[in-house]
Amino acid sequence: MNPLPSGLSGPLILHEDPVSGNCYKIRLTAALLGLPLERRQYDITRGETRTPQFLADVNANGRIPVLQAGEKFLPESNASCFYLADGSALVPADRFDRADMLRWMFFEQYQHEPNIATLRFWLLVLGEANLDADRRAMLSGKRAGGEAALALMEKHLESRDWFVGNGPTLADICLFAYTHVAHEGGFDLAPLSAITAWIGRMRALPGFAAM
Amino acid sequence: MNPLPSGLSGPLILHEDPVSGNCYKIRLTAALLGLPLERRQYDITRGETRTPQFLADVNANGRIPVLQAGEKFLPESNASCFYLADGSALVPADRFDRADMLRWMFFEQYQHEPNIATLRFWLLVLGEANLDADRRAMLSGKRAGGEAALALMEKHLESRDWFVGNGPTLADICLFAYTHVAHEGGFDLAPLSAITAWIGRMRALPGFAAM
């Protein structure tokens, strides 16, 4: 294993489900930074993150991803990306830009992931025929919310290559995770030419790792 | 007006609705840091954040709060708090703790605010009798989600005074905003003694400003 840069505690272990875009964000961040990351896999559809042992040892919130850094455990995908990238070029040195990067990461968790990732999970993993009445009632609202999130991203990218500043940051990584597989949730990216071009720029980054 | 610390661009103007806990987070952060903050008020129930002028000049996403720093505009409440507090004692100097603070801020936007703040808005501002069928169908899910978020906070605070490290950080401020008014969304805080004690510690902070 490569030595870790100073400031990081290791070993770095990702507790994850490979189908999750939230977990992929952390793998992509590590790949772009050249950081070694062990992987421990759980199947959320089998309740493997709700066992007494998982709740006691990994995350009392019963969710993945969790990034383990030595003896410490860090839930929340975007916080885990920040831990890995803090001090690197993936986090802007400029104070306003650093906050603006977080602005897009909070947008991702509030308006993008709950709509686009949830629809993908429901349609791709659970299957539309298996959805209960409560979920069916939420389909149209989540569809509209996801489309609005993509429209905001498209408008923002029409005049720039990256979400913040002049190069890729965690904002791009965190938004990329579920955007590039949005078609699996029934979203059509073809008309969104600025997003499509940005996805191409992401894939061309040195060290890029596919989901 | 007091001069701003170096690294902040001014004047600092908060575009807000006073009833919003998300806006209050930013006022509380500024108060604890002794930063001057101008306020511009909008009524979201009248669509004042969806006008063409607001969308063009303040936030293309049609939402408040937005923190204006000189000529720049920063949406997302938790990102705005980070901009104000970056480099202060409200953001831990330790790398893991800094990410762990963000972990609780992402938790707040993902599991706490969409349940507790939304129920408060529906019951306190809109009124239960005025909710449409889609919102009524979501009441029980949001109630359960909010109770789970509060239970996780209670468990975490049973063994510590603050969410991260040994003093207050933005994690406490961002979680305090909607927790201390959770009763307005129908949540009973009385049995949650660790949360209740923490609310008392928050109110006792030097410079504390009420909502």
Side-chain angles (χ1 to χ4, degrees):
Chain A
M1 184 180 293
N2 301 323
L4 291 176
S6 69
L8 282 171
S9 298
L12 298 169
I13 302 170
L14 180 60
H15 299 264
E16 65 158 353
D17 184 328
V19 77
S20 158
N22 284 326
C23 299
Y24 169 59
K25 294 171 187 172
I26 302 170
R27 296 201 307 275
L28 179 54
T29 301
L32 292 174
L33 293 169
L35 296 172
L37 197 60
E38 296 177 37
R39 298 168 68 175
R40 302 269 169 84
Q41 299 189 356
Y42 305 79
D43 184 341
I44 57 174
T45 66
R46 291 171 173 269
E48 292 180 359
T49 64
R50 307 277 177 171
T51 65
Q53 189 182 351
F54 186 92
L55 295 173
D57 295 347
V58 181
N59 185 5
N61 202 13
R63 291 166 183 266
I64 46 96
V66 175
L67 179 65
Q68 182 180 349
E71 302 298 314
K72 294 184 175 180
F73 293 82
L74 186 62
E76 299 295 334
S77 57
N78 291 2
S80 297
C81 292
F82 193 94
Y83 175 68
L84 294 179
D86 202 354
S88 80
L90 293 178
V91 176
D94 176 79
R95 179 173 182 161
F96 187 90
D97 285 354
R98 194 160 50 242
D100 203 29
M101 176 195 79
L102 288 170
R103 164 260 186 120
W104 287 107
M105 293 163 72
F106 283 110
F107 161 80
E108 191 269 339
Q109 284 289 286
Y110 194 80
Q111 285 183 257
H112 188 286
E113 202 269 7
N115 295 307
I116 295 172
T118 299
L119 280 186
R120 174 177 175 265
F121 183 73
W122 289 358
L123 302 180
L124 180 74
V125 181
L126 301 184
E128 187 164 4
N130 301 317
L131 298 180
D132 60 25
D134 280 357
R135 283 170 166 156
R136 283 181 185 279
M138 294 166 74
L139 284 173
S140 66
K142 288 190 177 291
R143 177 71 56 207
E147 287 172 349
L150 292 171
L152 190 78
M153 292 170 63
E154 176 74 10
K155 181 178 166 71
H156 188 72
L157 290 170
E158 279 171 356
S159 58
R160 44 180 75 78
D161 285 349
W162 308 101
F163 274 90
V164 178
N166 297 316
T169 70
L170 294 182
D172 300 282
I173 292 171
C174 293
L175 282 166
F176 177 77
Y178 283 111
T179 301
H180 86 293
V181 293
H183 60 280
E184 296 175 351
F187 294 94
D188 183 10
L189 294 180
L192 304 174
S193 58
I195 288 178
T196 303
W198 165 77
I199 287 174
R201 288 190 288 277
M202 287 295 295
R203 291 190 197 279
L205 289 175
F208 176 84
M211 186 163 165
Chain B
M1 184 180 294
N2 300 324
L4 291 176
S6 69
L8 282 172
S9 299
L12 297 170
I13 302 169
L14 180 61
H15 299 263
E16 67 159 352
D17 184 327
V19 78
S20 157
N22 284 325
C23 299
Y24 169 58
K25 294 171 187 173
I26 302 170
R27 296 200 307 275
L28 179 54
T29 302
L32 293 174
L33 293 170
L35 296 173
L37 196 61
E38 296 178 37
R39 298 168 68 174
R40 303 271 169 81
Q41 300 189 355
Y42 304 80
D43 184 341
I44 58 174
T45 65
R46 291 171 172 267
E48 292 180 0
T49 63
R50 307 276 176 173
T51 65
Q53 188 181 350
F54 185 92
L55 295 174
D57 295 346
V58 182
N59 185 6
N61 201 13
R63 291 166 182 266
I64 46 98
V66 174
L67 178 65
Q68 181 179 349
E71 302 298 313
K72 295 183 175 181
F73 294 83
L74 186 62
E76 300 295 333
S77 56
N78 292 2
S80 296
C81 292
F82 193 94
Y83 175 69
L84 294 179
D86 201 354
S88 80
L90 293 177
V91 176
D94 176 79
R95 181 172 180 162
F96 187 89
D97 284 354
R98 194 161 51 242
D100 203 29
M101 176 195 80
L102 288 170
R103 164 259 188 121
W104 286 107
M105 293 163 72
F106 282 111
F107 161 80
E108 190 269 339
Q109 284 289 286
Y110 194 79
Q111 285 182 256
H112 188 287
E113 201 269 7
N115 295 308
I116 296 172
T118 299
L119 279 186
R120 174 177 175 266
F121 183 73
W122 289 359
L123 301 181
L124 180 74
V125 181
L126 301 184
E128 187 165 4
N130 301 317
L131 298 181
D132 60 25
D134 280 357
R135 282 171 166 155
R136 283 180 185 280
M138 295 166 73
L139 283 173
S140 65
K142 288 191 177 291
R143 177 71 55 207
E147 287 171 351
L150 292 170
L152 189 78
M153 292 171 62
E154 176 74 10
K155 181 177 164 72
H156 188 72
L157 289 170
E158 279 171 357
S159 58
R160 44 179 76 76
D161 284 348
W162 308 101
F163 275 89
V164 179
N166 298 316
T169 70
L170 294 182
D172 301 282
I173 292 171
C174 293
L175 283 165
F176 176 78
Y178 284 110
T179 300
H180 86 293
V181 293
H183 59 279
E184 295 175 351
F187 294 93
D188 183 10
L189 295 180
L192 304 174
S193 58
I195 288 178
T196 303
W198 165 78
I199 287 174
R201 287 190 289 277
M202 287 295 295
R203 291 190 198 277
L205 289 175
F208 177 83
M211 185 164 166

